[in-house]
Amino acid sequence: MAVATAPWRLLRWMWRRWWGKIIVLILASPFILYFLLWLMFARGLPSAESLLHYQPELPTYVRDIDGSPAQVFARERRVQLAYGEFPAPLINAFLAAEDRTFFSHGGIDYPGLVGAVIDYVSKSGSGDRARGGSTITQQVAKIFFVGDEYSVTRKIREAFLARRIEATLTKEQILELYMNQIFLGRNAYGVQAAARAYFAKDVAQLTLAECAFLAALPKSPSNYDPVRHPEAALQRRNFVLSEMLRNNFITQAQHDAAVAEPLQTARGGSPDSVRNVGGYYMEEVRRTLIARYGEEAASGPNSVYAGGLWVRSSYDPRMQEAAETALRDGLRRYESGRGWRDPGLSIPLDGWRQRLAGAALGPGYPTWRAAVVLARQGGEIELGFADGSRGTLPASLAAMPRRGTATAAFNALRPGAVIAVERQGESGSTYALRSIPEVSGGFVAEEVQSGRVLAMQGGWDVRGSGFNRATQALRQPGSTFKPIVYSAALDAGMTPASIIIDGPFCANNKCFRNFSGGYAGPQTMRWGLEQSRNLMTVRTANQIGMANVIERARQMDVGDYRSTPYLPISLGAGDTTVLKMVNAFAVFANQGRALTPTLIDYIQDRNGRVIWRADTRPCEGCNAPDWNGRPMPRPPLRTRQVVDAMTAYQIVHMLEGVVQRGTATILRDLGRPLFGKTGTTSGPTNVWFIGGSQQVVAGVYLGFDRPRPMGGYAQGGTIAAPIFRQFARTAFEGMPVIPFRAPTGIRMVRIERRSGQRVYGAWPTSDPRAAIIWEAFKPESEPRRTVAREVVDPAARRAAPTQASNANERRGDSDFLQREGGIY
């Protein structure tokens, strides 16, 4: 007991002396200081354990229909790598430049910290910033927790956190976090993103000199930008190489070879990087993703700009380019000869490059550019472009009249005006003035079998207007709505050969008329659809009841018109979108089975797990590791039938006649089975065409955003159909020629095209305007009354019957169909 109390007696004896108190205070002061600092700065610091589960903000990547990267939605370039994926020269370069004792210290480099304190005291009041002296661990604490504030408080909090991080994470984990998160300029976060941004390479492909350059950037990426400050960047890179040599990370020979290597960086991304196609299609994908998962990290783990999603879309680059070009060419054709349209945009000339880059003018064509007028001198204008280059616009290339005036467009251009121009010749700096149309429109192409949207164009250029007219513009579809009316009529017992009166019709104090005026008397339903006769359509709708028409439109998701069950709806007076109308026509081509138009096939999270899929059909055995010798598994068909299969085929078969001899004969030379329908609304304020093949259906409308008459000459067959024709020439090239498939039960019967009567003794020919055609009927619905060949062809009455014709009469339709290869 005496031995145990002896030290305490000694301490009490020392404490009674003044010098003893001083010694105790000196020995205890570090602990007291540490406790006070912890109490003041570290008590509320976050736990370092959160870094164990840290997931950096990663961009969302979108792939096209072939799986190639097409778009990235990112506010920060970042690619996350594991520690083992960093090459040793790159790690050594960062250690030499930032923290050579990283693997030996405990989070704080005390000699470096003392030097930083001395430097801070010496520069106090001078306005100069003291050197940091931070270890890589401290930089991780700064990046993830305490921020970049220049203060003593931040440094103290940083040091406390560094100790916690070192106690929680391994050195490799700390370095992995650092090299994935550090900002290195060019909007690149992490070494992999920086390698692509500066050298168009992955980190594994970097040379020693390139590794040293990346390690030179954390100190100040903007000051060592190789384009703006090449000398400073080169000096800093060589400094890193010398530090690597001093720390025995490289040999003298490696050092000398790397120093001799010129500093050459890429101005763009890597050749295999995301091409960022942009446009209305990708903007629609972005809106869909934001609506589902949110935009920022606070919205959830799968947000668009932080969640690292991988999105497989149905974007078809070839079809999209064809759609964009066809629509723009169609808009230009409509406005050709109307003079130059002033877009009405101007910007101040101070900082004009940044202002021009943000100006709401989309030039459209790849060869057109947005430019700002910088100055006028005589007969020439100096132009400026967002990339800093300049050009000239001579008066001779801006001589077209300004719209609504008789003066040349050149005279209306003033400094600050933002315009569209096109380079003249392969090279040079001479440009010609171009006019962006005021009329606009929308275009959609959809795959029949799946409902996947292959192409979408919502106007001239999304950079000029983000309003997507393919999905957001509610327009009257006009006569493209008529197939929906006739499909309801077919379900009500009518046939394509039913006779309908094309004559005056009035109801509810409103009288209707045909677009071209006049009457044709009794005609078949087919003829009325092919020639787009309003009176026959509205008479049919009145006969079967508008309730049936509106219900069919609702079933096909064209629109819900139950609150306005009026006869004009049957002529397309109800609002809808291009996307909905294209999908309705695709349903007809899909034998009446429902389709949901989708731009996204499936979505994966950052770990590759599928979190959303458009096609949710089960497929038993599809993921089996081995083949069991049985037939390959297939997912079941989408079986929801919204239109009777035979009714759908009858509509398609009649709409083939629209192309062959109706209002869309301009498409007849495309050399493949096509169906479609033109549309023109009152005014006319909108012109439409919707149609396609057994594989792809596409649709387009043109009209002003604030509807107004387009001119009496504007019709769907003359303005909209040519746009589809131009698209189809490119998009359908190389696509198999497949006839439209008839469902089980359809009966193909020879009829006289105008009367609808059944014909014996004569056969259809390849002439689109032949009197005799094959018509599709449901069982037991074909015409009972017949007409002889002599009635159809009076010349046949004078012709003597031949052995061949007698043989034909003896052979039935079935024999003829088999001999001709069948009718599908």
Side-chain angles (χ1 to χ4, degrees), residues 109-132:
D109 179 14
Y110 291 102
L113 179 61
V114 171
V117 171
I118 294 173
D119 189 52
Y120 178 81
V121 173
S122 65
K123 291 181 178 178
S124 296
S126 66
D128 296 332
R129 184 161 182 158
R131 66 184 179 91

Side-chain angles (χ1 to χ4, degrees), residues 442-779:
F443 190 105
V444 172
E446 180 177 332
E447 188 177 62
V448 169
Q449 186 177 5
S450 63
R452 297 194 298 171
V453 176
L454 306 175
M456 175 184 290
Q457 185 67 9
W460 177 263
D461 192 319
V462 71
R463 291 169 291 181
S465 170
F467 182 67
N468 191 338
R469 295 157 188 85
T471 60
Q472 294 176 300
L474 294 173
R475 314 293 290 208
Q476 294 182 353
S479 295
T480 60
F481 189 84
K482 290 176 180 176
I484 295 172
V485 176
Y486 287 119
S487 72
L490 293 171
D491 281 350
M494 299 179 73
T495 75
S498 294
I499 298 300
I500 306 169
I501 302 298
D502 183 32
F505 182 82
C506 298
N508 299 323
N509 299 320
K510 178 176 177 58
C511 291
F512 297 86
R513 60 181 295 273
N514 289 317
F515 180 82
S516 58
Y519 313 109
Q523 300 290 341
T524 63
M525 177 190 291
R526 167 181 284 277
W527 186 89
L529 185 56
E530 289 179 354
Q531 303 303 318
S532 197
R533 305 296 283 187
N534 292 345
L535 290 172
M536 295 176 68
T537 305
V538 75
R539 192 182 299 274
T540 300
N542 186 67
Q543 178 179 332
I544 65 173
M546 277 302 297
N548 291 323
V549 174
I550 288 172
E551 178 60 18
R552 176 53 47 84
R554 188 193 64 80
Q555 292 170 343
M556 301 186 75
D557 197 29
V558 170
D560 189 347
Y561 308 120
R562 285 176 291 184
S563 62
T564 56
Y566 309 126
L567 278 174
I569 295 293
S570 66
L571 301 179
D575 290 336
T576 188
T577 66
V578 181
L579 180 62
K580 289 184 176 183
M581 288 303 301
V582 168
N583 187 67
F585 275 61
V587 168
F588 285 134
N590 196 39
Q591 296 193 346
R593 292 191 294 269
L595 293 169
T596 301
T598 60
L599 284 75
I600 298 172
D601 294 342
Y602 59 85
I603 304 170
Q604 296 170 280
D605 65 14
R606 66 172 68 215
N607 300 313
R609 183 174 62 92
V610 176
I611 57 177
W612 185 87
R613 187 186 296 275
D615 188 352
T616 57
R617 294 176 295 169
C619 185
E620 185 177 352
C622 282
N623 293 325
D626 298 308
W627 181 44
N628 57 10
R630 298 179 181 178
M632 295 299 290
R634 295 178 181 273
L637 292 175
R638 295 181 172 93
T639 55
R640 189 168 68 91
Q641 200 79 31
V642 294
V643 179
D644 178 79
M646 289 186 284
T647 296
Y649 179 75
Q650 287 178 304
I651 292 295
V652 170
H653 193 54
M654 286 192 286
L655 292 178
E656 285 187 271
V658 175
V659 174
Q660 290 301 312
R661 54 190 162 265
T663 57
T665 55
I666 191 174
L667 308 177
R668 203 161 58 196
D669 64 350
L670 289 175
R672 65 175 61 239
L674 294 173
F675 79 118
K677 185 70 187 74
T678 59
T680 308
T681 62
S682 297
T685 56
N686 304 286
V687 292
W688 291 71
F689 177 81
I690 300 174
S693 66
Q694 181 62 70
Q695 301 103 309
V696 176
V697 171
V700 59
Y701 95 88
L702 268 68
F704 293 99
D705 285 342
R706 293 186 176 181
R708 68 172 191 263
M710 299 177 65
Y713 62 91
Q715 296 182 37
T718 58
I719 294 180
I723 295 175
F724 174 88
R725 182 173 181 262
Q726 180 179 341
F727 163 80
R729 283 192 180 279
T730 301
F732 291 177
E733 184 179 359
M735 190 178 293
V737 178
I738 300 176
F740 293 100
R741 298 183 179 91
T744 302
I746 281 289
R747 298 173 60 89
M748 302 304 297
V749 176
R750 288 171 289 162
I751 68 166
E752 200 276 318
R753 180 166 57 85
R754 295 299 295 271
S755 69
Q757 294 181 334
R758 193 166 186 170
V759 174
Y760 289 98
W763 301 92
T765 67
S766 58
D767 180 8
R769 297 192 176 277
I772 302 170
I773 63 171
W774 291 105
E775 190 59 272
F777 291 93
K778 296 175 183 177

Side-chain angles (χ1 to χ4, degrees), residues 90-111:
L90 184 62
I91 293 175
N92 291 335
F94 273 86
L95 293 179
E98 296 294 316
D99 190 358
R100 61 188 179 85
T101 62
F102 172 74
F103 281 101
S104 59
H105 65 62
I108 301 174
D109 179 14
Y110 291 102

